Amino acid sequence: MREANVFRKNRAFYSGVILTVVEGLLSGCSYLSIYMVLSGLSEGSLSAQRLGLLTAFLAGIFLIRLVIYAAGYTQVQLGGAAVSKGLRLRLGDKLKQIPLSRFTQGQVGEYVNTMTSDVGSYEKILTHSSGNITKNAVLAAMLVGFVCKVYLPAGLILFLVVAGLIPNLWLSFRVVAKYGVAKHEVSAETVSSIVEYIDGIQTFRAYHMGGVQNQATTEAMRRFSRVCYLYEAKGIPIGFGYNILSWCSVPAIMALAAGPWAAGTLSNVDYLMVSMLPILLTKLTTAISIDLFEWKHLMVSKNNILQVMAEPEERGSMAPFHPAEQNITFRSVSFSYVPGEPVLKELSFTAPAGKLTAIVGDSGSGKSTILNLIAKYYEPQSGEISIGGQSVETVAAERVLEQISMVDQQVFLFDDTVRENIRHARPSATDREVEAACRAAGCDGFIQKLEHGYDTPIGENGAFLSGGERQRLSIARAILKNSPILLLDEATASLDIENELAVKRAILGLLSERKTVVMIAHTLSIVRNADQILVVADGNIAESGTHEELLARGGKYAAMWAAEQRLSN
Ligand SMILES: Nc1ncnc2c1ncn2[C@@H]1O[C@H](COP(=O)(O)OP(=O)(O)OP(=O)(O)O)[C@@H](O)[C@H]1O
């Protein structure tokens, strides 16, 4: 993605900067009129009428500046906010294209940091620093030019003060390069740690690991405060040193200009001006150096945004993908999340179209991984996955997912009403269709009992609902989406008996639709009637067949079945 596209400024922003510069120029005119008043007073040529005119001019300039300042400030704020909104939307789109395998705990912190803090910092450059730097630079140039005209040696000293900004900034930028980048990295770690802390707040509380006892979060914050301290401690002396040197220009010019003043070649007013204006210039250059220091730091944020934008995207064609048949085939598929730790090893099977294939196996044997690969959440390292005989390797994940409804253990619900949460599955669905899907999923009953029925907000990630209710809502979504392939992770183990039965009933309703279903079963009773049962062990298919065939075989499945029967009796 080209930088120009991502950071493109808008007209509001540019007009705001121009207005800020105009306001700066006008403030220079105020000093000019004061100079004229002082000259008139000193030469005795100032009439009451001229004084009135100059005062009116000063007041007029002040009012115009006020209006221009307000307009410029508003425009810059609006322009900057629009640019950062665009940036966040672009980043949001980009995140959708990044392979899921990139979303590790640490990386999530980086992304959160970029979407919030980096974009916020970049917005700050636009809304605060850019206008101020331009305005102060223009004012400083006017001021040096004016002093040069009045008394050239003083002007040259002021020119040196401005030139002193170069080594000052060079040193400051070195600090930013070293500590600013480190600050960003530690900040991302801190965000990750805080996200983890908030996500796991229940567990932390249960094990009394909150507050300072949470080592990881506390350590991350300690590192962050240390790097912030170093950043300021190394940066401040540079600015402070420059400040002292630039302030030295004031007595130096006073001493230098004293000679020509005593000789009568420099008027009283000119002496006053060349002695006072350096004070103003020093303030301007200090402001410029602080803003540029910030600017450079905020460029670190800009680089981080560009880095996210440059991340490799998922491969695959966005051309429509409508295989005639919906059978799913794995051919010698190998996959590992972590290099060198294979989860699936040359695994092969076919889930026939319109049939129910159940996957069973020990915890951690790779069942969910199989579903994740079908949905293209991850790409296999070798082998081929095909749907209807067509390899999905060259098809975009979005296109593959159009063919799939997925009900997995981690139900994600938006902070919205029940109705809108279901409708996400098919945005064009009518209210009636949403409600029909909920009836089929067995959740109509509890929804009707909510305060506003289908229009009840369910809180962040459905926090106001029970585990079983959340599961049934996700089944309703799958019913509404009505895709030809259904991937199902039966997760009833953690539910109470009533919810478990309700979810199982909803699942059986889904299965009756005779789609191509691949279902992970944690309880074997639910898959007795599956057309095919795959037993996954050690990254491969250890056994496959119908319930009866596998029992007759007397292998792993038969042992699992016997164990479950013992438990339920
Ligand atoms: N995102 C991940 N990063 C690294 N390793 C992972 C990741 N997800 C799963 N694993 C590992 O891959 C292996 C298979 O995990 P998977 O979730 O597929 O097992 P499963 O059979 O579905 O387990 P369960 O029945 O407990 O849900 C496990 O060893 C697990 O620790």
Side-chain angles (χ1 to χ4, degrees), residues 412-460:
F412 183 81
L413 295 168
F414 296 94
D415 187 5
D416 204 337
T417 61
V418 175
R419 193 187 302 283
E420 293 314 316
N421 263 289
I422 305 297
R423 214 196 303 267
H424 280 299
R426 182 153 57 89
S428 61
T430 62
D431 284 358
R432 240 173 221 226
E433 287 170 322
V434 169
E435 287 163 26
C438 288
R439 274 194 297 279
C443 41
D444 184 67
F446 84 78
I447 294 172
Q448 297 288 4
K449 286 188 199 141
L450 296 173
E451 195 179 352
H452 303 289
Y454 280 86
D455 297 311
T456 310
I458 55 172
E460 200 170 317

Side-chain angles (χ1 to χ4, degrees), residues 168-480:
N168 167 27
L169 291 173
W170 180 74
L171 289 171
S172 310
F173 290 176
R174 277 168 52 119
V175 171
V176 173
K178 186 165 179 191
Y179 295 98
V181 174
K183 190 174 160 187
H184 170 84
E185 281 165 8
V186 180
S187 161
E189 279 173 34
T190 312
V191 171
S192 290
S193 188
I194 291 172
V195 169
E196 185 185 51
Y197 181 72
I198 295 172
D199 267 357
I201 194 76
Q202 282 184 348
T203 313
F204 287 129
R205 277 192 185 181
Y207 291 97
H208 302 292
M209 289 160 64
V212 287
Q213 282 155 358
N214 183 291
Q215 292 290 328
T217 312
T218 314
E219 187 48 41
M221 291 201 193
R222 200 171 284 140
R223 277 206 307 277
F224 187 59
S225 73
R226 181 166 162 68
V227 78
C228 285
Y229 167 77
L230 280 174
Y231 181 69
E232 298 298 337
K234 302 281 175 184
I236 285 172
I238 299 168
F240 199 64
Y242 172 72
N243 235 349
I244 292 174
L245 284 177
S246 57
W247 270 95
C248 288
S249 67
V250 179
I253 288 177
M254 284 175 80
L256 191 70
W261 171 75
T265 52
L266 201 65
S267 71
N268 287 345
V269 174
D270 285 349
Y271 180 77
L272 199 67
M273 291 307 274
V274 295
S275 301
M276 280 172 56
L277 286 179
I279 301 175
L280 179 63
L281 183 81
T282 309
K283 286 197 164 178
L284 289 176
T285 49
T286 305
I288 292 172
S289 80
I290 291 174
D291 278 335
L292 280 173
F293 183 59
E294 284 279 293
W295 176 287
K296 180 70 184 177
H297 176 62
L298 299 178
M299 284 297 144
V300 175
S301 300
K302 186 175 172 184
N303 278 341
N304 294 329
I305 295 170
L306 282 174
Q307 264 175 29
V308 174
M309 286 298 186
E311 283 215 21
E313 298 185 356
E314 273 171 342
R315 293 167 293 139
S317 153
M318 286 299 283
F321 178 65
H322 295 298
E325 266 206 309
Q326 306 293 339
N327 52 323
I328 301 164
T329 303
F330 274 48
R331 264 187 220 99
S332 301
V333 169
S334 296
F335 176 77
S336 57
Y337 293 100
V338 181
E341 292 177 25
V343 176
L344 303 181
K345 301 172 201 160
E346 305 228 336
L347 178 136
S348 300
F349 72 89
T350 293
K355 306 271 185 213
L356 166 60
T357 297
I359 304 179
V360 299
D362 296 335
S363 179
S365 56
K367 303 182 293 296
S368 304
T369 305
I370 294 175
L371 295 200
N372 288 340
L373 290 175
I374 298 174
K376 280 206 88 172
Y377 289 165
Y378 295 90
E379 302 269 354
Q381 276 88 34
S382 65
E384 186 192 70
I385 300 170
S386 59
I387 298 179
Q390 293 184 42
S391 166
V392 294
E393 191 187 347
T394 53
V395 184
E398 262 176 275
R399 290 284 173 258
V400 174
L401 282 167
E402 279 169 7
Q403 303 292 309
I404 294 172
S405 295
M406 187 136 177
V407 177
D408 59 16
Q409 296 189 25
Q410 280 151 11
V411 181
F412 183 81
L413 295 168
F414 296 94
D415 187 5
D416 204 337
T417 61
V418 175
R419 193 187 302 283
E420 293 314 316
N421 263 289
I422 305 297
R423 214 196 303 267
H424 280 299
R426 182 153 57 89
S428 61
T430 62
D431 284 358
R432 240 173 221 226
E433 287 170 322
V434 169
E435 287 163 26
C438 288
R439 274 194 297 279
C443 41
D444 184 67
F446 84 78
I447 294 172
Q448 297 288 4
K449 286 188 199 141
L450 296 173
E451 195 179 352
H452 303 289
Y454 280 86
D455 297 311
T456 310
I458 55 172
E460 200 170 317
N461 200 11
F464 304 155
L465 302 176
S466 75
E469 289 166 346
R470 291 155 49 85
Q471 285 283 345
R472 278 179 279 161
L473 286 191
S474 82
I475 292 171
R477 271 183 180 164
I479 293 172
L480 188 68

Side-chain angles (χ1 to χ4, degrees), residues 480-520:
L480 188 68
K481 189 170 177 193
N482 196 22
S483 310
I485 296 172
L486 177 63
L487 305 182
L488 199 59
D489 193 344
E490 178 244 358
T492 51
S494 59
L495 303 178
D496 59 52
I497 193 75
E498 195 182 323
N499 263 314
E500 180 180 336
L501 287 174
V503 170
K504 280 187 169 161
R505 267 199 301 275
I507 289 176
L508 289 173
L510 253 184
L511 298 182
S512 66
E513 298 204 14
R514 307 311 295 170
K515 296 172 182 299
T516 305
V517 183
V518 181
M519 174 184 181
I520 296 174

